[in-house]
Amino acid sequence: MDITIHQTFLPQNDPDASLAFYRDILGFEVRADVGYDGMRWITVGPADQPGTSLVLEPPFAGPDVTDDERRTITGMMAKGTYARVILATADLDGTFARLQAGGAEVVQEPTEQPYGVRDCAFRDPGGNLVRVNELRRAAS
């Protein structure tokens, strides 16, 4: 099978703040910015990975979301437990410095994890957990 990850969705309740985070701080390119019925979907992704995108979507866009579900989603987004994404970079310390300087909410500074990954973590403007793993070179 030849399957790739094409898009994944993250909820956002402030499109402009989310756009500033993913475009201006992380450096992702904007691939689409679509408004419909008072809502806004923004598709972003790394410039060198045109086939992989994050779609920043309104959290209640589905027509079948109940009021109870809306309350649950709102509460989980506020706690930062509703959605997450893991990114990767060869320059973890530089990426951490850029995110911190851009005002991103730091959850965890670069740390060597007991499960063999060095990473850091932030929250995006929608409350989503954004972890950044350090890519390591294989030993020669």
Side-chain angles (χ1 to χ4, degrees), residues 14-95:
D14 184 338
D16 292 325
S18 293
L19 180 60
F21 178 83
Y22 286 96
R23 181 193 60 203
D24 302 338
I25 298 175
L26 278 176
F28 285 2
E29 67 180 9
V30 177
R31 304 204 174 128
D33 190 339
V34 178
Y36 176 75
D37 200 21
M39 294 180 277
R40 191 169 162 200
W41 288 257
I42 303 167
T43 304
V44 298
D48 63 346
Q49 297 177 47
T52 303
S53 299
L54 291 176
V55 180
L56 308 170
E57 68 171 343
F60 315 120
D64 298 327
V65 177
T66 67
D67 287 339
D68 283 344
E69 290 168 331
R70 287 177 201 272
R71 283 189 290 278
T72 299
I73 291 168
T74 299
M76 290 179 74
M77 284 178 70
K79 287 178 26 181
T81 59
Y82 186 65
R84 66 192 146 280
V85 64
I86 299 175
L87 307 175
T89 182
D91 182 13
L92 183 66
D93 294 315
T95 300

Side-chain angles (χ1 to χ4, degrees), residues 55-139:
V55 180
L56 308 170
E57 68 171 343
F60 315 120
D64 298 327
V65 177
T66 67
D67 287 339
D68 283 344
E69 290 168 331
R70 287 177 201 272
R71 283 189 290 278
T72 299
I73 291 168
T74 299
M76 290 179 74
M77 284 178 70
K79 287 178 26 181
T81 59
Y82 186 65
R84 66 192 146 280
V85 64
I86 299 175
L87 307 175
T89 182
D91 182 13
L92 183 66
D93 294 315
T95 300
F96 177 82
R98 180 178 173 151
L99 283 156
Q100 188 174 38
E105 179 187 343
V106 176
V107 173
Q108 182 182 61
E109 294 187 4
T111 303
E112 189 70 43
Q113 301 294 352
Y115 42 87
V117 172
R118 183 170 183 259
D119 70 356
C120 63
F122 293 85
R123 291 217 194 289
D124 76 2
N128 302 304
L129 182 64
V130 178
R131 295 199 76 85
V132 183
N133 288 358
E134 181 175 57
L135 293 173
R136 298 189 180 179
R137 294 188 181 133

